[in-house]
Amino acid sequence: MTEIVSPKFLVFLDFDGVLHPVDANEHERFNPEAVSSINRILDELDAKLVLSTAWRMDYGFDHFNAWFNGKIIGSTPVHNLDLKIEYPRFNEVINFLKLHEWICVPWISIDDKRSHFPINSPAYITDSKIGITKKDTENIIKIGHSMKFLQQSLLSHLNECIHTD
């Protein structure tokens, strides 16, 4: 596997309840407008995409990469989602970040299950009956820019502290 350069920002994406309503039938899945919204988020935030959806277990991420302009760089570890563990998706994200040594890379997870994430984690929760909306897209972009700004400010401050000691 080729070594991937540390991304500037990561988006962890669930499909069901985000790209289409959770109860969508076969013909309603993968709404093109929802895919376009994710691509807009990736472009605006200069982000790479990591799949955290159960769909990754059946198809792998290469199957979906054309939809997202080649910006998928991986998927969270493939194992059965253990719902007995508190915050299962959050733990998958953290395991992915640790595995790649990207724990300091700003990220957001787009999912429809609040119970899979701690309340103060960078998870944006969509309405599972609708999926991602234009308002959600705008909010995610604003949150992402804020996270990037805060990280740059913190790193700048730390750099100043190091050089003034």
Side-chain angles (χ1 to χ4, degrees), residues 9-14 41 45 50 52 87 89-91 93-94 97 102-114 116-126 139-148 150-151:
F9 196 90
L10 288 168
V11 172
F12 291 86
L13 182 65
D14 180 33
I41 291 165
L45 298 176
V50 179
S52 59
Y87 313 126
R89 280 273 164 80
F90 177 76
N91 287 315
V93 168
I94 296 302
L97 294 169
W102 293 342
I103 205 73
C104 293
V105 173
W107 61 274
I108 193 163
S109 187
I110 307 171
D111 204 298
D112 67 319
K113 299 245 183 334
R114 166 53 53 206
H116 287 191
F117 299 89
I119 195 70
N120 58 353
S121 66
Y124 190 92
I125 307 303
T126 61
N139 287 338
I140 293 165
I141 290 168
K142 287 177 185 175
I143 292 166
H145 281 305
S146 294
M147 292 172 72
K148 289 173 79 170
L150 288 171
Q151 184 195 42

Side-chain angles (χ1 to χ4, degrees), residues 13-16 18-20 26-43 49 51 53 55-56 59-72:
L13 182 65
D14 180 33
F15 286 0
D16 298 326
V18 177
L19 295 183
H20 51 258
E26 177 180 338
H27 302 290
E28 298 171 318
R29 289 186 186 142
F30 305 110
N31 179 338
E33 288 179 22
V35 172
S36 179
S37 289
I38 298 301
N39 281 318
R40 180 162 173 246
I41 291 165
L42 296 173
D43 289 344
L49 185 63
L51 300 185
T53 176
W55 286 82
R56 75 196 188 282
Y59 296 98
F61 67 86
D62 288 330
H63 181 81
F64 301 105
N65 221 347
W67 293 359
F68 301 105
N69 305 318
K71 292 189 178 183
I72 300 176

